[in-house]
Amino acid sequence: MSYSFGMNAKLKQELPAKTFNADKRLLNVLNPFLYPGSHYNSETLFNVTNILYPKPYPVTEVRDTAFYDPANKAYYSLESAYYSIDTLKMLTSAYDKLKSATNIPVELPGLDQQGFQKRILSKTVRKDSTEIVFRGAAVIPRFEDSICVFLENKTLISPVEGEGIAIQQRQSAINRYQLLYQLPQDSLLHAFQKLALLLKRYQVESSINPVTLTRDVFRFRDEDREQLYQIRNNFNRNALIEKIKILNRLFYQPKFFHPAIRPIFFTVLFSTWLFGFALFVLTIYLRRPKPGAVKP
């Protein structure tokens, strides 16, 4: 126990929680730049439905079957259309009127009542108000200049303890967008330099060169993703993730008893208590006056 308490205290002295959280925020922002090249072909990891910024994202995907020959159903393809996910808040009484009206509010021009009802994804009633989430305007992410493959991943390497995951995902997406499209290239270079120091501090094997990696990121920002396997971001990703998991456990789920000694500890503790209790009872019994004894 003394060793575990001492190790935990030493850890927090060498790596304060504020520093650890700052490291995790940096890793979460840079995460989409740090996958092995083959992972960029994964539709699960990198998909336009993962885009959180800029507006009008996030989006929802609607797939439809396109038949080339209506007489031959064997020849078809799946086509995807993307729509922004929008939110509309109104009084429940106003929504009830909306459902019975022939036209939807002027704030949503171009949609009739029936078309709007089909686009509703969810409806939540909170006291006297109703929140509607619906498919909004059509978007084409693949042809937008401010969208690239690095924005199509919202995964966090490790969330910061005590903060909402959705909030962290969106803030990371905003910071990433700024590094890619709004800030000077030196800002991303500085972020990769901090990453190189972080990997060295955590003793993770790495061959990342901040200068070459920055060049690669901006090259693939503007060009096709087919050559992304050439991105020079080599480091031991699994080792980093494992060390972050261990540190999270030491920070927020400390175990001061090793599993091997826990049964022994509780056995000794119970035996000591039992011995002390028996000794206490015996002492009380011996000190109890005997019947017929004359008091001095």
Side-chain angles (χ1 to χ4, degrees), residues 41 65 140 150 270 284:
N41 295 323
T65 304
I140 310 177
F150 300 115
F270 177 74
I284 295 297

Side-chain angles (χ1 to χ4, degrees), residues 153-167:
N153 179 289
K154 62 181 180 181
T155 307
L156 302 177
I157 285 184
S158 178
V160 175
E161 191 74 14
E163 298 181 10
I165 292 180
I167 295 175

